[in-house]
Amino acid sequence: MSLMNNLSTSTISSSSSAFLAPISFDSRTQSVAFPLKNINVVKCITNPQEQQTAYKTKVSRNANIAKLQAGYLFPEVARRRAVHLLKYPNAQVISLGIGDTTEPIPDVITSAMAERSHGLSTLEGYSGYGAEQGEKALRSALASTFYGNLGIEEDDIFVSDGAKCDISRLQVVFGSNVTMAVQDPSYPAYVDSSVIMGQTGQFQKDVEKFANIEYMRCTPENGFFPDLSTVVRTDIIFFCSPNNPTGAAATREQLTRLVQFAKDNGSIIVYDSAYALYMSDDNPRSIFEIPGAKEVAIETASFSKYAGFTGVRLGWTVVPKQLLFSDGFPVAKDFNRIVCTCFNGACNISQAGGLACLSPEGLEAMQEVIGFYKENTKIIVETFNSLGFKVYGGQNAPYVWVHFPSRSSWDVFSEILEKTHIVTTPGSGFGPSGEGFIRVSAFGHRENVLEACRRFKQLYK
Ligand SMILES: Cc1ncc(COP(=O)(O)O)c(C=O)c1O
């Protein structure tokens, strides 16, 4: 975390053309030449002189945002990648870092979006604002596809522009007076949105944690499921399965314990199932498979990693009508209010795409995309296994969690970037229990994954 504090103060810009040159890293790897995308550079704009003389408003900065550490993890990874490219302009950098999808969206899905899009140019096909909660047909298809026999109904489902956006909207519903727990390590949006809402104290450098958040340790020793007997009661429990970053998926028995724990404590679980369709093992894909979950859980999910919708933007959140606040008021009604106030509904073209995803051909096409990334995962797992590393995840999620005992995650991240031009994600960026791990994402073109594995083998042979 300390390295994250050393944000550079230069503005970096770049274009893709500089990165098309063949790799200079090793003669054995020169045969693969792949064009690189434009990089998304995080601009950290500061000109010390300008800062001193610039006009300032009288508005004070939100003190909660000021509590956040150097920045969101992924912009920091992107910044380091940009710095690396300035140093090695001809390097063929392979990104197995942020976890963005790379494979084209299946045609059956884009055709439906194109049709809706063209329809917007006609009097009959035009539509403006839609229902904030999403189109009826999509809500109904989501209910039957993912929650068929689980008692979740169409009106329990809120279609959105993605799970991350819903996580923040849920935080607005909860407000600043709740306490919350997260898996440690976990997807950074939970902690960061909690900090921004003012639910936490300051960051405590000695333990690398925010005060007033319950970090539920998830390590190889406990099979990446928290020891609930040591977890302090909180109002909200964020729980992601299959987990980003560890790739661990909770079993039915573990989730039954989690639901009981929430019930005993009167807590609400926010269950993130963004990777549910990556599950190979026979674990629940929805928290609502657990009896009684409807009274204690919300579930958020997304098309991002199933159909390459990271740019299209479409997700959904299930808030069952049985879930009540302490005064008996339905949580769904407040969520509806926030959705109507802060959001005007998901893009109608995206929703046409979502509906196509849930057609028989769309479901098959999504399974193919997922299968492709799972094959990548297998290649990465086998590579690190063959090098003698302890490797976790991969079986139920597109993430491989590689252990580098007694080493700093950021040091390993830098070593890999410097010596192989591969971008990974340092485990400590996901929480203190991620220290000593690197997350390797399986999202990538096959030739890039194979090339990355060749480079890993060379570095760690
Ligand atoms: C666990 C988890 N939840 C949510 C998201 C965000 O999904 P969306 O693209 O739908 O906002 C991600 C994206 O990486 C994720 O890993």
Side-chain angles (χ1 to χ4, degrees):
M1 192 61 93
S2 61
L3 276 171
M4 283 176 74
N5 296 335
N6 297 329
L7 264 177
S8 149
T9 54
S10 61
T11 304
I12 305 155
S13 67
S14 190
S15 75
S16 62
S17 58
F19 311 122
L20 295 173
I23 183 169
S24 57
F25 159 67
D26 181 291
S27 58
R28 278 196 291 164
T29 61
Q30 286 189 3
S31 55
V32 183
F34 25 78
L36 292 161
K37 285 202 296 187
N38 249 332
I39 52 167
N40 289 326
V41 178
V42 185
K43 292 185 179 168
C44 305
I45 307 164
T46 64
N47 171 338
Q49 247 177 355
E50 253 177 48
Q51 266 194 343
Q52 274 165 19
T53 56
Y55 169 80
K56 293 188 190 83
T57 69
K58 292 180 179 164
V59 181
S60 48
R61 186 177 177 209
N62 180 337
N64 292 320
I65 298 188
K67 286 179 197 162
L68 289 171
Q69 294 303 289
Y72 188 66
L73 169 67
F74 296 111
E76 174 60 12
V77 168
R79 189 194 67 79
R80 285 168 184 246
R81 171 189 162 137
V83 169
H84 183 76
L85 280 165
L86 284 182
K87 188 172 169 192
Y88 301 104
N90 294 326
Q92 283 205 320
V93 172
I94 298 175
S95 181
L96 302 180
I98 178 166
D100 194 2
T101 45
T102 55
E103 300 311 296
I105 299 173
D107 191 58
V108 58
I109 300 164
T110 50
S111 298
M113 289 196 279
E115 198 180 319
R116 176 68 74 90
S117 171
H118 288 307
L120 293 175
S121 287
T122 67
L123 273 178
E124 316 75 57
Y126 178 75
S127 62
Y129 291 127
E132 288 92 342
Q133 303 80 5
E135 293 174 4
K136 191 174 161 44
L138 179 57
R139 296 172 86 191
S140 163
L142 285 165
S144 57
T145 306
F146 292 102
Y147 310 101
N149 47 5
L150 303 179
I152 296 295
E153 293 166 350
E154 181 188 311
D155 62 349
D156 296 321
I157 298 177
F158 295 79
V159 175
S160 75
D161 51 349
K164 190 195 238 180
C165 317
D166 276 344
I167 288 162
S168 282
R169 283 190 280 262
L170 285 168
Q171 293 283 26
V172 176
V173 171
F174 300 137
S176 52
N177 286 330
V178 295
T179 51
M180 79 111 149
V182 288
Q183 287 153 297
D184 173 22
S186 65
Y187 179 54
Y190 316 136
V191 166
D192 286 9
S193 58
S194 175
V195 173
I196 290 167
M197 279 307 297
Q199 297 165 358
T200 77
Q202 295 291 341
F203 188 72
Q204 302 165 317
K205 280 206 166 53
D206 51 337
V207 284
E208 302 270 321
K209 293 176 180 176
F210 283 95
N212 214 30
I213 288 186
E214 177 69 5
Y215 290 77
M216 304 185 293
R217 233 173 116 69
C218 295
T219 60
E221 290 72 42
N222 60 20
F224 297 101
F225 187 81
D227 176 0
L228 295 174
S229 69
T230 64
V231 171
V232 170
R233 184 213 173 263
T234 58
D235 296 311
I236 311 298
I237 303 167
F238 276 93
F239 199 92
C240 178
S241 177
N243 183 269
N244 174 11
T246 64
T251 63
R252 192 169 303 274
E253 186 271 323
Q254 287 171 331
L255 290 179
T256 303
R257 273 194 275 143
L258 182 69
V259 165
Q260 191 57 50
F261 180 74
K263 212 159 237 178
D264 292 345
N265 287 309
S267 308
I268 294 176
I269 299 166
V270 177
Y271 189 79
D272 187 336
S273 64
Y275 299 96
L277 292 188
Y278 282 81
M279 197 87 75
S280 295
D281 295 339
D282 184 28
N283 298 318
R285 293 178 179 196
S286 164
I287 190 70
F288 300 118
E289 290 184 36
I290 307 301
K294 285 198 276 297
E295 288 161 11
V296 292
I298 291 168
E299 179 164 306
T300 189
S302 172
F303 285 100
S304 281
K305 310 297 163 85
Y306 300 167
F309 270 32
T310 47
V312 171
R313 309 303 304 147
L314 196 70
W316 70 94
T317 288
V318 182
V319 190
K321 47 183 86 56
Q322 294 87 339
L323 182 68
L324 307 177
F325 285 118
S326 58
D327 63 357
F329 196 81
V331 176
K333 285 201 171 175
D334 277 355
F335 187 63
N336 187 54
R337 185 63 197 255
I338 293 304
V339 163
C340 291
T341 303
C342 307
F343 182 53
N344 255 339
C347 165
N348 44 19
I349 300 168
S350 303
Q351 293 191 70
L355 197 54
C357 286
L358 304 181
S359 68
E361 305 78 36
L363 287 169
E364 207 179 305
M366 281 202 300
Q367 284 301 344
E368 255 175 60
V369 174
I370 291 166
F372 174 87
Y373 291 129
K374 287 180 78 148
E375 191 62 31
N376 279 352
T377 314
K378 216 168 137 212
I379 294 166
I380 296 167
V381 167
E382 280 167 9
T383 297
F384 281 100
N385 273 335
S386 75
L387 292 166
F389 286 93
K390 274 256 184 235
V391 179
Y392 304 92
Q395 170 77 358
N396 298 304
Y399 297 118
V400 182
W401 191 237
V402 189
H403 200 187
F404 290 79
S406 359
R407 293 200 58 194
S408 135
S409 299
W410 277 108
D411 284 354
V412 177
F413 167 89
S414 298
E415 173 179 274
I416 292 174
L417 183 59
E418 182 69 26
K419 297 192 175 153
T420 68
H421 305 311
I422 297 168
V423 181
T424 56
T425 310
S428 59
F430 299 96
S433 295
E435 186 57 283
F437 289 86
I438 282 288
R439 189 195 75 173
V440 183
S441 151
F443 294 115
H445 301 313
R446 179 62 45 79
E447 72 267 27
N448 285 7
V449 169
L450 290 170
E451 169 62 15
C453 287
R454 269 194 288 276
R455 295 184 197 176
F456 284 135
K457 281 184 178 161
Q458 248 180 298
L459 178 62
Y460 292 118
K461 68 183 171 214

